[in-house]
Amino acid sequence: MNLRRLLLTLLLAVLAAIGSAQDTSPPPADGTAAPASADAPAQTNQKRVITIDDSGGTQSGNLRYGPIVYQHPDPFGIKATVSTLTIYGHHAELKGPDGVSIFTGGQRTATFDQGVKVERGRLTASGPALTYSEASGVGTLQGGVHITVAPDKQGADPVTITADQVAFDVDTDRSTSTGHVELLNGNQAAQAGTLVYEEKQALGQLTTDGGQSTITRTDPDGKKLVITADQILVLTDEKKLYATGNVTVVDGSITSKGATVFFDDSLAIAEILGAPGAPATAVDSKNGSSLRADRIKQDVKYDYFEAMDASAPSLFDKAAFAMTPAGP
């Protein structure tokens, strides 16, 4: 470590210690909360504070109040960490509120450009630029992004996602891709306006503002099954989906419609459910057969449909598709 970097590291540690001492005040003796004041600093969510390591690179700018500009000769030589998110880049800038030490975390913004890579768990994303806000705990990768989610087991299919931008929430394991979203998962391809993806559950929610989302499943013979709905939830590891809202299933000459559809890729079985007063329907334009029922089973492999007993247990667990409730 050269002398300049050693001095900068020592300065950072000293200022951080001073900032912590200034921001910490003992509680009143009676145990009640200290009264708020306009001059009191906002409480910092340490989980959202970003750390930037540019070892082997250079720094410039105002080293006390910022902004600080980081540059590295390697394309991904800068490594920033915040919670479980890791950000790599070549060029970055860290900026804080005016008149506040740049080493005081909580309200700073970090901007990465000239090529960025993001990693979290099984997910890797890349794009031209990313902006991260400690105040919101959200990092937005934009300019056209590509995401890969590694499979949960050897030999399984990875998930790839492309979109105009993706926002990573560091308080959760959730990412939100928006704009011309396309998701590819083995033999399934989906298009939507927005994809909310929970990485630990490998659960994606596809919606399109003012329209519908579509997922297409192609079998080894090239035959296509197309499901269109207001909302599609997909478990990408298991290749199961749950579609709701004006759902249409097109499988060759067979078209089914309902309020809700479950589909299991491994079984090649769809379950179509109607709504009160609006039964599910299925029509085969090839042989002229049709069906109206509360529940319809559609066998994609053998090209037939049949009514199901409304009281019979379902093959599908709706609870498996539950998204984690949003925080306060």
Side-chain angles (χ1 to χ4, degrees):
M1 179 181 289
N2 60 36
L3 180 60
R4 181 178 183 277
R5 183 170 295 281
L6 176 61
L7 291 174
L8 179 61
T9 302
L10 292 173
L11 176 62
L12 187 155
V14 170
L15 291 176
I18 293 172
S20 297
Q22 290 176 339
D23 292 347
T24 303
S25 54
D30 61 1
T32 60
S37 70
D39 296 330
Q43 186 174 4
T44 299
N45 183 340
Q46 293 298 326
K47 186 178 180 180
R48 296 180 177 180
V49 174
I50 192 167
T51 301
I52 300 177
D53 179 4
D54 70 330
S55 300
T58 61
Q59 298 177 11
S60 61
N62 187 322
L63 299 183
R64 181 171 179 82
Y65 294 108
I68 297 178
V69 176
Y70 302 84
Q71 296 189 78
H72 202 284
D74 297 335
F76 300 116
I78 297 172
K79 179 182 178 181
T81 54
V82 51
S83 186
T84 57
L85 198 70
T86 306
I87 305 164
Y88 298 90
H90 157 70
H91 183 271
E93 180 182 275
L94 182 64
K95 186 176 183 180
D98 291 342
V100 177
S101 168
I102 194 63
F103 302 111
T104 302
Q107 298 295 320
R108 299 175 302 178
T109 299
T111 302
F112 302 78
D113 56 14
Q114 303 179 25
V116 183
K117 181 174 69 173
V118 175
E119 292 180 346
R120 180 165 64 181
R122 290 192 280 148
L123 182 148
T124 301
S126 60
L130 181 144
T131 300
Y132 174 72
S133 166
E134 290 180 335
S136 66
V138 174
T140 302
L141 184 63
Q142 53 199 341
V145 303
H146 183 276
I147 302 169
T148 300
V149 181
D152 64 330
K153 61 188 74 172
Q154 189 172 8
D157 295 313
V159 175
T160 59
I161 302 163
T162 57
D164 292 344
Q165 68 176 32
V166 57
F168 296 97
D169 184 345
V170 304
D171 294 336
T172 67
D173 70 333
R174 179 177 291 190
S175 62
T176 302
S177 301
T178 53
H180 305 93
V181 177
E182 293 189 2
L183 178 150
L184 180 63
N185 182 23
N187 64 346
Q188 296 183 6
Q191 294 80 40
T194 300
L195 166 66
V196 178
Y197 193 78
E198 295 192 349
E199 295 153 29
K200 291 180 183 177
Q201 290 195 84
L203 173 62
Q205 179 191 60
L206 297 152
T207 57
T208 300
D209 189 21
Q212 291 191 302
S213 300
T214 300
I215 190 163
T216 302
R217 183 251 198 189
T218 306
D219 70 13
D221 297 324
K223 180 185 174 187
K224 296 183 183 298
L225 171 76
V226 181
I227 299 175
T228 304
D230 295 343
Q231 174 182 267
I232 300 174
L233 292 157
V234 57
L235 290 165
T236 56
D237 285 344
E238 301 177 40
K239 293 188 179 178
K240 295 179 180 179
L241 69 82
Y242 169 44
T244 59
N246 302 302
V247 188
T248 300
V249 181
V250 178
D251 175 30
S253 62
I254 299 175
T255 299
S256 302
K257 296 184 178 183
T260 301
V261 168
F262 292 96
F263 179 74
D264 186 323
D265 182 81
S266 63
L267 299 176
I269 296 291
E271 184 177 316
I272 301 100
L273 290 79
T281 63
V283 176
D284 188 338
S285 61
K286 187 175 181 179
N287 59 30
S289 60
S290 62
L291 177 65
R292 290 172 62 88
D294 292 333
R295 292 173 67 189
I296 295 175
K297 173 185 175 182
Q298 183 171 335
D299 191 308
V300 174
K301 183 175 181 179
Y302 295 106
D303 296 324
Y304 75 88
F305 52 80
E306 62 183 9
M308 299 178 67
D309 182 351
S311 63
S314 174
L315 295 171
F316 302 92
D317 179 13
K318 179 180 176 181
F321 297 90
M323 301 289 289
T324 302

